[in-house]
Amino acid sequence: SGPTGLEIIERILSQSRSRLPKQGLVMLEMGYGQRDQVREIAERETFRVDEVLPDLAGIDRVVVLSRRGSD
């Protein structure tokens, strides 16, 4: 996923913008401590963070995103 571990998330969200239906959702797994960076990437790529789900240890692990605005 690259040096920061966020490059694949950036790539997925960048490519999803044009492929996802307006009501579509993206669910991504994220690493420990990446919540704020993922939120920044999502906002830059015109996605809204709808929910962050923890894993069994209570660590933020999955982010649910939806499109915002229009393309």
Side-chain angles (χ1 to χ4, degrees):
S1 63
T4 68
L6 296 165
E7 290 80 4
I8 193 67
I9 291 174
E10 291 174 328
R11 185 172 165 193
I12 289 168
L13 292 182
S14 175
Q15 292 179 7
S16 294
R17 246 183 317 141
S18 63
R19 296 182 170 124
L20 192 68
K22 287 196 180 238
Q23 301 301 318
L25 298 175
V26 175
M27 296 178 71
L28 299 170
E29 181 179 8
M30 62 184 164
Y32 175 78
Q34 291 183 334
R35 181 181 182 159
D36 292 338
Q37 296 102 321
V38 170
R39 186 177 299 276
E40 289 173 16
I41 294 166
E43 290 175 0
R44 183 173 64 238
E45 295 294 338
T46 66
F47 281 87
R48 176 180 55 240
V49 175
D50 294 322
E51 192 171 3
V52 177
L53 304 169
D55 61 17
L56 294 176
I59 298 168
D60 292 339
R61 188 61 63 196
V62 175
V63 61
V64 181
L65 306 157
S66 60
R67 287 180 48 188
R68 62 177 169 78
S70 59
D71 289 338

